[in-house]
Amino acid sequence: MKILAAFEEEHELIERVAGSLFRWAEENGDEADAKRFASFFAVYAGGFHRRREEDILISALVRSLEVPADRGPLRVIGEEHRRLELLVSRLAAAADRDAARVLARTLWEHIDKENTVFFPEAGERLPRAGVAELVDRSMTGAEGEVRELGERLLGQYPPLEDPETMRGAGCIACSAFTVSCRGIEAEWWNDWEWEQHGRGDAD
Ligand SMILES: [Fe+2]
Ligand SMILES: [Fe+2]
């Protein structure tokens, strides 16, 4: 599905710029660059990327497949989107280096759960419900300029990994697992899926 491939490609840039932001926070980068990072994360990662995840992908899942929006994975993703917005606002308002570190870590975990759980599940469910493709929108000129700003920040602050961040795949790597979400199988799978995946794996 083209839109899922586009989202994954956007994730590659966003997670690298998160690494740049982490270097900025750790190595006392120029305070004036906080607003540039915040602009990238508000306009490109937020307005372009996350807005389409919500308006196009999540809407289609809820509309076509009756996947619950008020609990489980979609609730977790929605809450994380709101938290990311707040962190970006804090970064923009005060060059807040603690907010920058939390923002980078939240983005990495968020991207891992979308790439390894949410998108693969959506990519199986939508075609099964007769939705072969979703209509995407193209990037505006302003969003394209901010994307270029992100590329420049990458040159200025080469991405830095956080030794305290353990990245991983699947629900097991998600901090919401067993806290506010019971995991994809318990939340989303129907009887047929349990029959296909659950029992099949156990045999
Ligand atoms: Fe997201
Ligand atoms: Fe995403």
mmCIF file of all heavy atoms in Angstrom, residues 7 10-11 14 45 49-50 53 81 110-111 114-115 119, ligand 2:
data_model
loop_
_atom_site.group_PDB
_atom_site.id
_atom_site.type_symbol
_atom_site.label_atom_id
_atom_site.label_comp_id
_atom_site.label_asym_id
_atom_site.label_seq_id
_atom_site.Cartn_x
_atom_site.Cartn_y
_atom_site.Cartn_z
ATOM 1 N N PHE A 7 4.656 6.704 4.478
ATOM 2 C CA PHE A 7 4.796 6.990 5.912
ATOM 3 C C PHE A 7 6.131 6.445 6.442
ATOM 4 O O PHE A 7 6.810 7.105 7.230
ATOM 5 C CB PHE A 7 3.649 6.359 6.707
ATOM 6 C CG PHE A 7 2.325 7.077 6.589
ATOM 7 C CD1 PHE A 7 1.134 6.383 6.750
ATOM 8 C CD2 PHE A 7 2.266 8.440 6.338
ATOM 9 C CE1 PHE A 7 -0.102 7.033 6.651
ATOM 10 C CE2 PHE A 7 1.040 9.101 6.233
ATOM 11 C CZ PHE A 7 -0.144 8.384 6.390
ATOM 12 N N GLU A 10 8.903 8.658 5.410
ATOM 13 C CA GLU A 10 8.899 9.889 6.224
ATOM 14 C C GLU A 10 9.469 9.599 7.615
ATOM 15 O O GLU A 10 10.198 10.432 8.175
ATOM 16 C CB GLU A 10 7.471 10.440 6.318
ATOM 17 C CG GLU A 10 6.976 10.983 4.982
ATOM 18 C CD GLU A 10 5.442 10.996 4.862
ATOM 19 O OE1 GLU A 10 4.747 10.991 5.892
ATOM 20 O OE2 GLU A 10 4.957 11.006 3.715
ATOM 21 N N HIS A 11 9.153 8.436 8.147
ATOM 22 C CA HIS A 11 9.711 8.058 9.462
ATOM 23 C C HIS A 11 11.236 8.073 9.445
ATOM 24 O O HIS A 11 11.867 8.439 10.436
ATOM 25 C CB HIS A 11 9.257 6.647 9.856
ATOM 26 C CG HIS A 11 7.863 6.594 10.417
ATOM 27 N ND1 HIS A 11 7.223 5.408 10.659
ATOM 28 C CD2 HIS A 11 7.015 7.583 10.803
ATOM 29 C CE1 HIS A 11 6.022 5.666 11.163
ATOM 30 N NE2 HIS A 11 5.872 6.975 11.250
ATOM 31 N N ILE A 14 12.257 11.589 9.902
ATOM 32 C CA ILE A 14 11.869 12.101 11.226
ATOM 33 C C ILE A 14 12.755 11.494 12.319
ATOM 34 O O ILE A 14 13.213 12.202 13.222
ATOM 35 C CB ILE A 14 10.368 11.809 11.498
ATOM 36 C CG1 ILE A 14 9.493 12.599 10.526
ATOM 37 C CG2 ILE A 14 10.001 12.147 12.943
ATOM 38 C CD1 ILE A 14 8.032 12.149 10.476
ATOM 39 N N ALA A 45 6.654 16.804 10.611
ATOM 40 C CA ALA A 45 6.287 15.587 11.352
ATOM 41 C C ALA A 45 4.841 15.674 11.853
ATOM 42 O O ALA A 45 4.158 14.653 11.953
ATOM 43 C CB ALA A 45 7.251 15.372 12.522
ATOM 44 N N HIS A 49 2.916 14.760 8.263
ATOM 45 C CA HIS A 49 2.942 13.315 8.506
ATOM 46 C C HIS A 49 1.819 12.836 9.445
ATOM 47 O O HIS A 49 0.971 12.031 9.068
ATOM 48 C CB HIS A 49 4.328 12.934 9.048
ATOM 49 C CG HIS A 49 4.455 11.494 9.422
ATOM 50 N ND1 HIS A 49 4.661 10.512 8.489
ATOM 51 C CD2 HIS A 49 4.356 10.870 10.626
ATOM 52 C CE1 HIS A 49 4.710 9.330 9.104
ATOM 53 N NE2 HIS A 49 4.532 9.527 10.399
ATOM 54 N N ARG A 50 1.803 13.317 10.659
ATOM 55 C CA ARG A 50 0.826 12.799 11.634
ATOM 56 C C ARG A 50 -0.615 13.140 11.244
ATOM 57 O O ARG A 50 -1.529 12.355 11.477
ATOM 58 C CB ARG A 50 1.119 13.342 13.043
ATOM 59 C CG ARG A 50 2.301 12.675 13.705
ATOM 60 C CD ARG A 50 2.307 12.909 15.208
ATOM 61 N NE ARG A 50 2.495 14.302 15.578
ATOM 62 C CZ ARG A 50 3.684 14.902 15.651
ATOM 63 N NH1 ARG A 50 4.783 14.250 15.354
ATOM 64 N NH2 ARG A 50 3.781 16.166 16.025
ATOM 65 N N GLU A 53 -1.655 10.552 8.897
ATOM 66 C CA GLU A 53 -1.895 9.277 9.591
ATOM 67 C C GLU A 53 -3.292 9.283 10.206
ATOM 68 O O GLU A 53 -4.005 8.280 10.154
ATOM 69 C CB GLU A 53 -0.857 9.066 10.703
ATOM 70 C CG GLU A 53 0.516 8.657 10.195
ATOM 71 C CD GLU A 53 1.537 8.484 11.323
ATOM 72 O OE1 GLU A 53 1.294 8.963 12.458
ATOM 73 O OE2 GLU A 53 2.580 7.883 11.065
ATOM 74 N N HIS A 81 0.334 11.247 19.730
ATOM 75 C CA HIS A 81 0.352 12.405 18.817
ATOM 76 C C HIS A 81 0.127 13.702 19.600
ATOM 77 O O HIS A 81 0.811 14.707 19.360
ATOM 78 C CB HIS A 81 -0.711 12.251 17.731
ATOM 79 C CG HIS A 81 -0.345 11.253 16.663
ATOM 80 N ND1 HIS A 81 -1.153 10.966 15.588
ATOM 81 C CD2 HIS A 81 0.759 10.482 16.498
ATOM 82 C CE1 HIS A 81 -0.571 10.068 14.815
ATOM 83 N NE2 HIS A 81 0.601 9.750 15.352
ATOM 84 N N HIS A 110 7.528 5.831 19.213
ATOM 85 C CA HIS A 110 6.298 5.950 18.421
ATOM 86 C C HIS A 110 6.504 5.366 17.016
ATOM 87 O O HIS A 110 5.667 4.615 16.505
ATOM 88 C CB HIS A 110 5.916 7.427 18.356
ATOM 89 C CG HIS A 110 4.616 7.683 17.676
ATOM 90 N ND1 HIS A 110 3.402 7.396 18.249
ATOM 91 C CD2 HIS A 110 4.328 8.182 16.445
ATOM 92 C CE1 HIS A 110 2.421 7.720 17.413
ATOM 93 N NE2 HIS A 110 2.966 8.195 16.311
ATOM 94 N N ILE A 111 7.627 5.704 16.413
ATOM 95 C CA ILE A 111 7.931 5.216 15.058
ATOM 96 C C ILE A 111 8.096 3.696 15.070
ATOM 97 O O ILE A 111 7.594 3.000 14.182
ATOM 98 C CB ILE A 111 9.185 5.940 14.506
ATOM 99 C CG1 ILE A 111 8.797 7.370 14.102
ATOM 100 C CG2 ILE A 111 9.805 5.179 13.339
ATOM 101 C CD1 ILE A 111 9.967 8.265 13.730
ATOM 102 N N GLU A 114 4.677 2.099 15.195
ATOM 103 C CA GLU A 114 3.937 2.234 13.931
ATOM 104 C C GLU A 114 4.531 1.316 12.855
ATOM 105 O O GLU A 114 3.807 0.636 12.136
ATOM 106 C CB GLU A 114 3.943 3.692 13.472
ATOM 107 C CG GLU A 114 3.051 4.559 14.360
ATOM 108 C CD GLU A 114 2.886 5.987 13.897
ATOM 109 O OE1 GLU A 114 3.766 6.491 13.136
ATOM 110 O OE2 GLU A 114 1.900 6.621 14.302
ATOM 111 N N ASN A 115 5.857 1.298 12.750
ATOM 112 C CA ASN A 115 6.494 0.481 11.708
ATOM 113 C C ASN A 115 6.301 -1.013 11.934
ATOM 114 O O ASN A 115 6.159 -1.771 10.983
ATOM 115 C CB ASN A 115 8.005 0.750 11.651
ATOM 116 C CG ASN A 115 8.344 2.069 10.963
ATOM 117 O OD1 ASN A 115 7.479 2.695 10.350
ATOM 118 N ND2 ASN A 115 9.589 2.485 11.069
ATOM 119 N N PHE A 119 1.380 -0.325 11.170
ATOM 120 C CA PHE A 119 1.337 -0.353 9.703
ATOM 121 C C PHE A 119 1.170 -1.778 9.155
ATOM 122 O O PHE A 119 0.352 -1.987 8.253
ATOM 123 C CB PHE A 119 2.579 0.311 9.093
ATOM 124 C CG PHE A 119 2.679 1.805 9.323
ATOM 125 C CD1 PHE A 119 3.850 2.491 9.026
ATOM 126 C CD2 PHE A 119 1.608 2.536 9.840
ATOM 127 C CE1 PHE A 119 3.950 3.862 9.233
ATOM 128 C CE2 PHE A 119 1.704 3.908 10.065
ATOM 129 C CZ PHE A 119 2.882 4.570 9.762
HETATM 130 FE FE FE B 2 4.240 8.125 12.029
#
